[in-house]
Amino acid sequence: MSSLTVYSSSGDGYVGNTNSSHSDCKSASSGNNVDYIGTTAQVRLNNSTGPFLYYIDRLFLSFDTSSLPNDSTITSATLSIYVTSKTNGGSKAVGPMSATPASTSVLVLDDFDQVGTTLFATATNIDSLTTNAYNSF
């Protein structure tokens, strides 16, 4: 069995939504902030004390798997994310899901709701993530 390492590419980043309720944030059809050109990205699920009470930032990572032969059978995959910092997540958890952004090289506000419903690995409680290390899903 062979192994292939694929790194994420340009267009990686996040699309976020800030709103007055968690349900409005989660069900929004578009975001109100986007960043796809930085060297770091963020995932946020939180409430704040500002004029908007809730925010959700969704991380998008694109992978070029064109080097895989068409008849390949993928038996497993590991997603490793380097975590630089975290705050108390309470009962909040994160995990990899499918996404269908309009482009793999740039993110736009309308990509916010282009996240699937299938979780591809067990969600990890934010409090369980290790900082300054790779965390694998």
Side-chain angles (χ1 to χ4, degrees):
M1 177 176 17
S2 62
S3 177
L4 173 67
T5 300
V6 179
Y7 296 95
S8 59
S9 57
S10 66
D12 294 349
Y14 66 90
V15 181
N17 184 281
T18 306
N19 219 309
S20 59
S21 78
H22 178 74
S23 62
D24 286 347
C25 250
K26 191 173 178 180
S27 65
S29 61
S30 68
N32 46 34
N33 61 76
V34 63
D35 183 358
Y36 65 90
I37 58 173
T39 57
T40 61
Q42 65 186 19
V43 176
R44 283 192 306 181
L45 304 165
N46 207 345
N47 60 337
S48 69
T49 57
F52 295 106
L53 300 177
Y54 296 89
Y55 48 88
I56 295 175
D57 290 345
R58 293 177 172 162
L59 176 64
F60 288 80
L61 302 171
S62 297
F63 298 92
D64 180 1
T65 58
S66 63
S67 63
L68 291 172
N70 289 338
D71 61 350
S72 294
T73 300
I74 299 171
T75 57
S76 68
T78 301
L79 174 65
S80 296
I81 304 288
Y82 193 84
V83 176
T84 58
S85 66
K86 66 179 183 178
T87 57
N88 180 4
S91 63
K92 295 177 179 74
V94 295
M97 302 180 86
S98 65
T100 54
S103 168
T104 58
S105 59
V106 83
L107 290 169
V108 296
L109 295 174
D110 286 340
D111 289 331
F112 183 79
D113 70 344
Q114 297 304 306
V115 177
T117 58
T118 302
L119 188 62
F120 289 116
T122 302
T124 300
N125 188 292
I126 293 172
D127 291 340
S128 299
L129 295 173
T130 303
T131 56
N132 299 312
Y134 283 96
N135 291 254
S136 295
F137 297 88

PDB file of all heavy atoms in Angstrom, residues 18-21 25 32 47-55:
ATOM      1  N   THR A  18     -21.121  36.982  11.572  1.00  0.00           N
ATOM      2  CA  THR A  18     -21.356  37.547  12.896  1.00  0.00           C
ATOM      3  C   THR A  18     -22.806  37.992  12.935  1.00  0.00           C
ATOM      4  O   THR A  18     -23.275  38.662  12.017  1.00  0.00           O
ATOM      5  CB  THR A  18     -20.417  38.744  13.142  1.00  0.00           C
ATOM      6  OG1 THR A  18     -19.081  38.330  12.919  1.00  0.00           O
ATOM      7  CG2 THR A  18     -20.569  39.268  14.550  1.00  0.00           C
ATOM      8  N   ASN A  19     -23.509  37.586  13.999  1.00  0.00           N
ATOM      9  CA  ASN A  19     -24.937  37.859  14.028  1.00  0.00           C
ATOM     10  C   ASN A  19     -25.418  37.976  15.463  1.00  0.00           C
ATOM     11  O   ASN A  19     -24.663  37.742  16.395  1.00  0.00           O
ATOM     12  CB  ASN A  19     -25.690  36.732  13.307  1.00  0.00           C
ATOM     13  CG  ASN A  19     -26.838  37.235  12.482  1.00  0.00           C
ATOM     14  OD1 ASN A  19     -27.673  37.981  12.976  1.00  0.00           O
ATOM     15  ND2 ASN A  19     -26.879  36.828  11.223  1.00  0.00           N
ATOM     16  N   SER A  20     -26.689  38.299  15.634  1.00  0.00           N
ATOM     17  CA  SER A  20     -27.228  38.522  16.972  1.00  0.00           C
ATOM     18  C   SER A  20     -27.677  37.243  17.664  1.00  0.00           C
ATOM     19  O   SER A  20     -27.991  37.264  18.846  1.00  0.00           O
ATOM     20  CB  SER A  20     -28.391  39.513  16.915  1.00  0.00           C
ATOM     21  OG  SER A  20     -29.402  39.011  16.073  1.00  0.00           O
ATOM     22  N   SER A  21     -27.733  36.114  16.943  1.00  0.00           N
ATOM     23  CA  SER A  21     -28.075  34.844  17.584  1.00  0.00           C
ATOM     24  C   SER A  21     -27.246  33.722  16.951  1.00  0.00           C
ATOM     25  O   SER A  21     -26.844  33.808  15.791  1.00  0.00           O
ATOM     26  CB  SER A  21     -29.562  34.527  17.451  1.00  0.00           C
ATOM     27  OG  SER A  21     -29.860  34.045  16.162  1.00  0.00           O
ATOM     28  N   CYS A  25     -26.530  32.910  12.910  1.00  0.00           N
ATOM     29  CA  CYS A  25     -25.156  32.734  12.414  1.00  0.00           C
ATOM     30  C   CYS A  25     -25.040  31.426  11.645  1.00  0.00           C
ATOM     31  O   CYS A  25     -24.554  31.392  10.519  1.00  0.00           O
ATOM     32  CB  CYS A  25     -24.184  32.671  13.590  1.00  0.00           C
ATOM     33  SG  CYS A  25     -23.125  34.069  13.771  1.00  0.00           S
ATOM     34  N   ASN A  32     -20.116  37.574   6.447  1.00  0.00           N
ATOM     35  CA  ASN A  32     -19.896  39.016   6.393  1.00  0.00           C
ATOM     36  C   ASN A  32     -18.421  39.353   6.614  1.00  0.00           C
ATOM     37  O   ASN A  32     -18.074  40.503   6.795  1.00  0.00           O
ATOM     38  CB  ASN A  32     -20.825  39.774   7.352  1.00  0.00           C
ATOM     39  CG  ASN A  32     -20.887  39.162   8.725  1.00  0.00           C
ATOM     40  OD1 ASN A  32     -19.909  38.621   9.218  1.00  0.00           O
ATOM     41  ND2 ASN A  32     -22.041  39.240   9.341  1.00  0.00           N
ATOM     42  N   ASN A  47     -19.265  33.536  21.406  1.00  0.00           N
ATOM     43  CA  ASN A  47     -20.099  34.714  21.605  1.00  0.00           C
ATOM     44  C   ASN A  47     -19.200  35.802  22.174  1.00  0.00           C
ATOM     45  O   ASN A  47     -18.184  35.520  22.784  1.00  0.00           O
ATOM     46  CB  ASN A  47     -21.291  34.426  22.515  1.00  0.00           C
ATOM     47  CG  ASN A  47     -20.869  33.967  23.888  1.00  0.00           C
ATOM     48  OD1 ASN A  47     -19.768  33.461  24.069  1.00  0.00           O
ATOM     49  ND2 ASN A  47     -21.738  34.120  24.854  1.00  0.00           N
ATOM     50  N   SER A  48     -19.532  37.023  21.931  1.00  0.00           N
ATOM     51  CA  SER A  48     -18.694  38.132  22.376  1.00  0.00           C
ATOM     52  C   SER A  48     -19.573  39.190  23.033  1.00  0.00           C
ATOM     53  O   SER A  48     -20.789  39.066  23.089  1.00  0.00           O
ATOM     54  CB  SER A  48     -17.930  38.732  21.196  1.00  0.00           C
ATOM     55  OG  SER A  48     -18.826  39.384  20.324  1.00  0.00           O
ATOM     56  N   THR A  49     -18.935  40.243  23.470  1.00  0.00           N
ATOM     57  CA  THR A  49     -19.696  41.306  24.133  1.00  0.00           C
ATOM     58  C   THR A  49     -19.887  42.514  23.232  1.00  0.00           C
ATOM     59  O   THR A  49     -20.385  43.527  23.670  1.00  0.00           O
ATOM     60  CB  THR A  49     -18.962  41.743  25.413  1.00  0.00           C
ATOM     61  OG1 THR A  49     -17.641  42.159  25.054  1.00  0.00           O
ATOM     62  CG2 THR A  49     -18.900  40.607  26.412  1.00  0.00           C
ATOM     63  N   GLY A  50     -19.512  42.400  21.970  1.00  0.00           N
ATOM     64  CA  GLY A  50     -19.633  43.519  21.044  1.00  0.00           C
ATOM     65  C   GLY A  50     -21.066  43.711  20.578  1.00  0.00           C
ATOM     66  O   GLY A  50     -22.003  43.106  21.115  1.00  0.00           O
ATOM     67  N   PRO A  51     -21.258  44.533  19.549  1.00  0.00           N
ATOM     68  CA  PRO A  51     -22.602  44.811  19.055  1.00  0.00           C
ATOM     69  C   PRO A  51     -23.280  43.561  18.489  1.00  0.00           C
ATOM     70  O   PRO A  51     -24.486  43.452  18.490  1.00  0.00           O
ATOM     71  CB  PRO A  51     -22.384  45.861  17.977  1.00  0.00           C
ATOM     72  CG  PRO A  51     -20.959  45.735  17.585  1.00  0.00           C
ATOM     73  CD  PRO A  51     -20.233  45.238  18.806  1.00  0.00           C
ATOM     74  N   PHE A  52     -22.486  42.622  17.980  1.00  0.00           N
ATOM     75  CA  PHE A  52     -23.012  41.334  17.557  1.00  0.00           C
ATOM     76  C   PHE A  52     -22.619  40.335  18.629  1.00  0.00           C
ATOM     77  O   PHE A  52     -21.520  40.364  19.149  1.00  0.00           O
ATOM     78  CB  PHE A  52     -22.417  40.905  16.211  1.00  0.00           C
ATOM     79  CG  PHE A  52     -22.815  41.804  15.082  1.00  0.00           C
ATOM     80  CD1 PHE A  52     -21.918  42.688  14.542  1.00  0.00           C
ATOM     81  CD2 PHE A  52     -24.099  41.754  14.572  1.00  0.00           C
ATOM     82  CE1 PHE A  52     -22.272  43.517  13.498  1.00  0.00           C
ATOM     83  CE2 PHE A  52     -24.474  42.575  13.525  1.00  0.00           C
ATOM     84  CZ  PHE A  52     -23.560  43.466  12.988  1.00  0.00           C
ATOM     85  N   LEU A  53     -23.494  39.431  18.952  1.00  0.00           N
ATOM     86  CA  LEU A  53     -23.239  38.543  20.072  1.00  0.00           C
ATOM     87  C   LEU A  53     -22.595  37.217  19.691  1.00  0.00           C
ATOM     88  O   LEU A  53     -21.975  36.585  20.519  1.00  0.00           O
ATOM     89  CB  LEU A  53     -24.550  38.273  20.821  1.00  0.00           C
ATOM     90  CG  LEU A  53     -25.235  39.510  21.394  1.00  0.00           C
ATOM     91  CD1 LEU A  53     -26.554  39.131  22.040  1.00  0.00           C
ATOM     92  CD2 LEU A  53     -24.324  40.186  22.393  1.00  0.00           C
ATOM     93  N   TYR A  54     -22.732  36.773  18.465  1.00  0.00           N
ATOM     94  CA  TYR A  54     -22.253  35.451  18.072  1.00  0.00           C
ATOM     95  C   TYR A  54     -21.467  35.532  16.772  1.00  0.00           C
ATOM     96  O   TYR A  54     -21.787  36.326  15.894  1.00  0.00           O
ATOM     97  CB  TYR A  54     -23.430  34.489  17.894  1.00  0.00           C
ATOM     98  CG  TYR A  54     -24.158  34.253  19.178  1.00  0.00           C
ATOM     99  CD1 TYR A  54     -25.213  35.073  19.551  1.00  0.00           C
ATOM    100  CD2 TYR A  54     -23.776  33.232  20.030  1.00  0.00           C
ATOM    101  CE1 TYR A  54     -25.872  34.882  20.754  1.00  0.00           C
ATOM    102  CE2 TYR A  54     -24.427  33.029  21.228  1.00  0.00           C
ATOM    103  CZ  TYR A  54     -25.477  33.852  21.582  1.00  0.00           C
ATOM    104  OH  TYR A  54     -26.118  33.659  22.766  1.00  0.00           O
ATOM    105  N   TYR A  55     -20.460  34.653  16.645  1.00  0.00           N
ATOM    106  CA  TYR A  55     -19.740  34.561  15.389  1.00  0.00           C
ATOM    107  C   TYR A  55     -19.293  33.134  15.135  1.00  0.00           C
ATOM    108  O   TYR A  55     -18.991  32.384  16.046  1.00  0.00           O
ATOM    109  CB  TYR A  55     -18.556  35.523  15.304  1.00  0.00           C
ATOM    110  CG  TYR A  55     -17.621  35.535  16.497  1.00  0.00           C
ATOM    111  CD1 TYR A  55     -16.548  34.659  16.586  1.00  0.00           C
ATOM    112  CD2 TYR A  55     -17.793  36.460  17.521  1.00  0.00           C
ATOM    113  CE1 TYR A  55     -15.679  34.694  17.664  1.00  0.00           C
ATOM    114  CE2 TYR A  55     -16.936  36.492  18.605  1.00  0.00           C
ATOM    115  CZ  TYR A  55     -15.889  35.617  18.677  1.00  0.00           C
ATOM    116  OH  TYR A  55     -15.033  35.650  19.750  1.00  0.00           O
TER     117      TYR A  55
END
